[in-house]
Amino acid sequence: MNFQTDINNDIKFLAKSEIRLKILSELYKEPNNVRGIVKITKITYSSVSSNIGKLEKNNHIKKINNKYHVTPMAEVYLKSLIDFKNSIDMINDYDTFWDKHNLNQLSLDSVKNITDLKESELIEATPTEIFKTHNTIKKQMLKSKNVKAIFPYLHPEYPKLIEKVLKNKGTVELIIPQNIFKELIFRIDGKVRRDAIKKRKLKVYKFKQDLNLYLSICDENIGLGLFKNDGSFDQNRILISSNKKSHEWSEKLFEHIRQQVI
């Protein structure tokens, strides 16, 4: 049996038992004995005792001074399994946002760290608020001094929103498709545009291929929008977050796509 097979078998052994994962999670927080684990987890003594025996036999825990400790390799497995479970939970929580949408432009790093968006809020348009998602984007931008954005299409209000940020002495960094470059840029007041470019307050990167996601990074919030699998932008849903990790996640995704520009 090779090393990779050993790892696969270990992960399967841990993943298929909620009780074993619960016991490992508690021991990872603090070494304990069987009775202590029973008290914390409320799992029956017989189940805890039985699974402790299996975990010890498979070298996932070891007994030191009458308390069980998680082994270093089991810590690695546990973290990977928890991260995976959190990713699945996060996707399930926002199923309408992720399902049947094009995720091809997300980097591998973005997908791997998708749980950085776990404290996000899903904004959805309603029959009485059909422009709710755009108005959310607009509000974010108007309150910001610094904006980074990936605009996959030209909304009539984008040039004026950019102009207002620049007039307020803010900075704007954009990634846009090549085919909307002139139309967007020349809708910004000429003097404002030229001054901003001269002072490096406005940077625009032209993307040769199609862009299939929307991203905005503002002072207080980030916003993420996706395209449907049929190629149309989903204007009815946007994920927003003010969490620090979500900002870092978005910055990395922005930079990943910026590296692909013309």
Side-chain angles (χ1 to χ4, degrees):
M1 188 177 292
N2 61 38
F3 182 65
Q4 185 62 52
T5 303
D6 286 343
I7 291 175
N8 290 340
N9 288 339
D10 281 341
I11 291 174
K12 287 177 184 177
F13 168 75
L14 296 173
K16 70 180 183 180
S17 171
E18 287 281 349
I19 292 176
R20 285 197 282 271
L21 284 176
K22 182 66 176 174
I23 291 170
L24 270 185
S25 296
E26 292 303 329
L27 291 177
Y28 178 72
K29 295 174 189 175
E30 183 180 8
N32 212 331
N33 55 33
V34 173
R35 292 191 182 280
I37 296 169
V38 170
K39 185 176 180 180
I40 293 170
T41 63
K42 310 301 181 187
I43 300 170
T44 63
Y45 186 93
S46 59
S47 291
V48 170
S49 179
S50 171
N51 281 283
I52 281 283
K54 292 174 183 177
L55 288 166
E56 189 173 21
K57 181 180 178 181
N58 284 274
N59 298 314
H60 297 306
I61 60 174
K62 59 183 177 181
K63 195 172 186 180
I64 303 173
N65 297 328
N66 294 319
K67 288 188 176 182
Y68 292 98
H69 298 245
V70 179
T71 62
M73 199 63 192
E75 287 186 14
V76 175
Y77 293 148
L78 181 64
K79 187 178 185 308
S80 297
L81 288 167
I82 290 173
D83 287 346
F84 179 72
K85 182 179 183 301
N86 288 339
S87 296
I88 296 300
D89 289 344
M90 195 270 172
I91 291 170
N92 287 337
D93 287 344
Y94 302 113
D95 180 60
T96 56
F97 181 77
W98 300 109
D99 189 35
K100 297 178 182 177
H101 286 78
N102 187 337
L103 306 178
N104 291 340
Q105 224 145 30
L106 295 182
S107 66
L108 288 175
D109 187 62
S110 299
V111 174
K112 178 184 174 184
N113 296 302
I114 202 76
T115 52
D116 288 348
L117 301 177
K118 66 181 178 181
E119 294 181 17
S120 301
E121 177 185 359
L122 180 61
I123 304 296
E124 295 186 276
T126 66
T128 56
E129 293 182 278
I130 59 174
F131 300 116
K132 188 174 182 180
T133 54
H134 174 69
N135 287 337
T136 300
I137 294 167
K138 181 177 177 180
K139 185 178 178 182
Q140 287 179 0
M141 288 188 66
L142 289 176
K143 292 194 303 181
S144 298
K145 292 288 288 184
N146 301 287
V147 174
K148 288 184 179 180
I150 298 172
F151 291 151
Y153 64 94
L154 178 60
H155 187 283
E157 286 199 78
Y158 284 168
K160 291 303 174 186
L161 288 172
I162 294 165
E163 188 178 305
K164 285 182 179 179
V165 174
L166 296 174
K167 281 183 175 179
N168 289 330
K169 300 182 179 179
T171 62
V172 176
E173 198 168 345
L174 300 174
I175 300 174
I176 58 176
Q178 185 179 18
N179 62 353
I180 70 167
F181 175 79
K182 289 183 179 179
E183 192 174 359
L184 187 151
I185 292 302
F186 290 108
R187 286 191 187 183
I188 300 170
D189 178 83
K191 184 177 185 308
V192 174
R193 182 184 70 246
R194 287 189 295 273
D195 287 349
I197 292 173
K198 184 178 179 180
K199 295 175 181 177
R200 300 184 65 80
K201 294 282 189 177
L202 174 63
K203 297 179 183 178
V204 184
Y205 305 100
K206 294 181 285 185
F207 201 81
K208 192 173 183 179
Q209 293 82 29
D210 290 336
L211 285 165
N212 53 31
L213 62 81
Y214 161 88
L215 179 71
S216 61
I217 308 170
C218 299
D219 291 348
E220 296 181 3
N221 297 88
I222 65 97
L224 177 67
L226 298 174
F227 277 67
K228 300 174 186 176
N229 286 333
D230 64 10
S232 63
F233 181 67
D234 189 349
Q235 299 184 54
N236 296 319
R237 296 173 184 85
I238 186 171
L239 210 62
I240 67 168
S241 176
S242 59
N243 181 275
K244 181 182 177 182
K245 281 193 173 181
S246 68
H247 269 80
E248 293 171 352
W249 184 93
S250 301
E251 289 277 4
K252 289 177 183 176
L253 178 57
F254 184 91
E255 184 59 24
H256 168 76
I257 294 177
R258 192 185 71 81
Q259 293 294 329
Q260 303 172 47
V261 299
I262 299 170

